[in-house]
Amino acid sequence: FSLMAAPGKVAAFRLPPLPTIGEIIKLFRLKALKQLSQNFLLDLRLTDKIVKQAGDLKNAYVCEVGPGPGGITRSILSAGVEQLLLIEKDARFIPGLQMLSEAAPGKVCIVHGDILTYKMEKAFPKHLKKNWEDEPPHIHIIGNLPFSVSTPLIIKWLENVSKRDGPFTYGRTQMTLTFQKEVGERLTANPGSSQRSRLSIMAQHLCAVENCFIIPGQAFVPKPEVDVAVVHFTPLVQPKIQQPFELVEKVVQSVFQFRRKYCFRGIETLFPANGRLKRTEQLMMTADVDPTLRPFQLSMSQFRNLCNAYRKMCDEDPSLFVFNYREELRQKKTGSLRGSTGQPEQTEEEKHL
């Protein structure tokens, strides 16, 4: 590789001439596996555009998730990063990534492993750590995620944000990730939008979420049936709902369980059958939420009020938090199969769930 410096300018990193991504795919006989929902992005102008959304990466430490044949990897290296950690689950891509690593000596570390189980709290040097209230650390997570892993992974990372562990032990680490267009719309949906969902609340109460741009499906090989959204996340200094992640998730999941019905219907599922109506009314009155609103119409402050009121009820009766509505339905269903007076309506609800 060469370091070329124009007069009066800092030397910029340049990758040496390399085979194109298409040639790498042919060279190592790589094929996107449908069962792993893999799609390759070969257009380096688009990979540059994705990397640009992450911000200034000069001398930054970056973790790329699922680099595959290495298109985004090249764009990250060209941005002048200090260190690049590549986490790739599919062994077929490792030789091509090693070629890139050799072209950028000392900059690249390749881990053959699963991002869902990889311990990110030890991935970067300790001196990069910032206080949560400070500016975000010079650490970025970037990835063109397989569709099958994108939602469970972002939920896992949002939980890490809430607990300030994993990649967020270093401070408010920023993320730039790809999702199916529809998932990107859910992540950024406002109250009243038909895309407003559990994902909208869980992401927006913990992060500033920006839907940067859409990549048309035909830019990928093989072409997916959907377009792809590039989404940028910056964790907030103060979450909008200051309750434990598990509690917020339980309330939000319950509210959206019957998304076409009044929110009252979903909130009922937080409580056991005995005293359900009374407790639901008590929660909604304390939270000052109109029971006839649909789940997607509720604002962030209304979700905050619901979570705070539910927390108070759980503090008074700890058995509430461990109550599981689905389990109650299952037991009623088994009871009705044994000839007890089971209610057919309940099994209908189970289908809903």
Side-chain angles (χ1 to χ4, degrees):
F1 78 107
S2 61
L3 286 172
M4 299 169 64
K9 288 191 177 176
V10 180
F13 177 77
R14 291 279 180 273
L15 281 169
L18 287 164
T20 66
I21 299 297
E23 287 165 350
I24 291 267
I25 288 169
K26 280 180 192 161
L27 180 66
F28 295 105
R29 295 178 182 173
L30 301 173
K31 190 181 177 188
L33 297 180
K34 195 172 183 182
Q35 64 268 36
L36 297 179
S37 62
Q38 291 173 338
N39 303 95
F40 303 151
L41 191 53
L42 309 186
D43 186 336
L44 292 182
R45 288 168 304 179
L46 283 172
T47 61
D48 283 348
K49 195 175 174 186
I50 292 171
V51 170
K52 202 174 176 185
Q53 298 302 322
D56 180 15
L57 295 186
K58 185 79 183 153
N59 301 324
Y61 287 70
V62 176
C63 171
E64 188 191 351
V65 183
I72 293 177
T73 316
R74 294 183 185 209
S75 296
I76 295 170
L77 287 169
S78 299
V81 298
E82 182 68 26
Q83 287 287 330
L84 175 55
L85 169 66
L86 302 176
I87 301 175
E88 179 52 68
K89 188 179 180 181
D90 192 333
R92 297 173 307 142
F93 297 121
I94 303 295
L97 296 173
Q98 279 167 341
M99 184 187 280
L100 271 177
S101 174
E102 286 157 20
K107 282 189 179 287
V108 181
C109 170
I110 302 168
V111 172
H112 177 210
D114 187 343
I115 188 62
L116 285 165
T117 54
Y118 182 72
K119 303 280 182 219
M120 292 240 347
E121 47 278 324
K122 293 179 182 169
F124 302 106
K126 285 180 182 173
H127 74 262
L128 295 170
K129 286 191 177 185
K130 293 273 189 88
N131 292 324
W132 196 259
E133 297 72 28
D134 295 343
E135 285 298 300
H138 213 20
I139 296 173
H140 296 262
I141 297 172
I142 298 175
N144 173 30
L145 306 174
F147 294 155
S148 59
V149 83
S150 60
T151 304
L153 186 55
I154 195 58
I155 288 291
K156 176 183 186 285
W157 277 338
L158 289 169
E159 183 171 359
N160 291 145
V161 170
S162 173
K163 295 176 178 175
R164 301 183 187 181
D165 60 14
F168 307 97
T169 51
Y170 299 92
R172 295 184 297 120
T173 301
Q174 296 177 79
M175 303 181 282
T176 309
L177 307 166
T178 61
F179 298 90
Q180 288 182 49
K181 184 186 172 193
E182 188 185 321
V183 177
E185 287 169 350
R186 281 187 209 148
L187 284 161
T188 53
N190 293 318
S193 158
S194 61
Q195 294 287 5
R196 184 83 160 170
S197 67
R198 170 182 78 119
L199 214 44
S200 322
I201 311 302
M202 297 312 293
Q204 292 170 35
H205 105 84
L206 290 162
C207 296
V209 192
E210 183 193 352
N211 200 334
C212 305
F213 66 97
I214 302 296
I215 304 174
Q218 61 258 32
F220 293 85
V221 178
K223 176 183 176 294
E225 289 169 16
V226 292
D227 293 338
V228 171
V230 177
V231 184
H232 183 75
F233 301 81
T234 307
L236 298 167
V237 174
Q238 288 290 350
K240 291 180 180 169
I241 304 171
Q242 297 197 18
Q243 294 294 350
F245 184 85
E246 292 82 359
L247 184 139
V248 178
E249 190 172 41
K250 187 177 183 187
V251 171
V252 173
Q253 267 181 333
S254 298
V255 171
F256 280 102
Q257 235 164 133
F258 301 98
R259 60 174 295 115
R260 289 195 177 89
K261 297 191 176 184
Y262 294 147
C263 64
F264 186 95
R265 183 66 198 86
I267 288 166
E268 277 188 318
T269 65
L270 288 167
F271 304 108
N274 184 18
R276 175 170 287 151
L277 185 63
K278 190 182 171 190
R279 281 173 146 175
T280 306
E281 286 173 347
Q282 182 193 336
L283 176 63
M284 304 216 69
M285 278 179 69
T286 311
D288 192 23
V289 171
D290 178 351
T292 63
L293 288 172
R294 312 279 176 190
F296 60 86
Q297 293 176 306
L298 297 183
S299 67
M300 188 63 78
S301 60
Q302 286 170 317
F303 273 104
R304 183 179 62 235
N305 292 351
L306 286 168
C307 290
N308 291 345
Y310 179 63
R311 170 67 186 268
K312 201 176 170 199
M313 292 172 84
C314 289
D315 287 345
E316 288 164 8
D317 177 1
S319 69
L320 262 190
F321 188 69
V322 292
F323 168 70
N324 185 316
Y325 181 69
R326 289 172 189 234
E327 195 50 48
E328 186 185 74
L329 279 184
R330 267 186 222 111
Q331 285 171 9
K332 281 191 178 179
K333 193 178 174 186
T334 5
S336 69
L337 288 173
R338 286 180 188 145
S340 66
T341 57
Q343 299 166 6
E345 186 202 351
Q346 298 291 359
T347 56
E348 210 36 57
E349 286 179 34
E350 196 164 36
K351 286 178 193 168
H352 253 298
L353 293 169

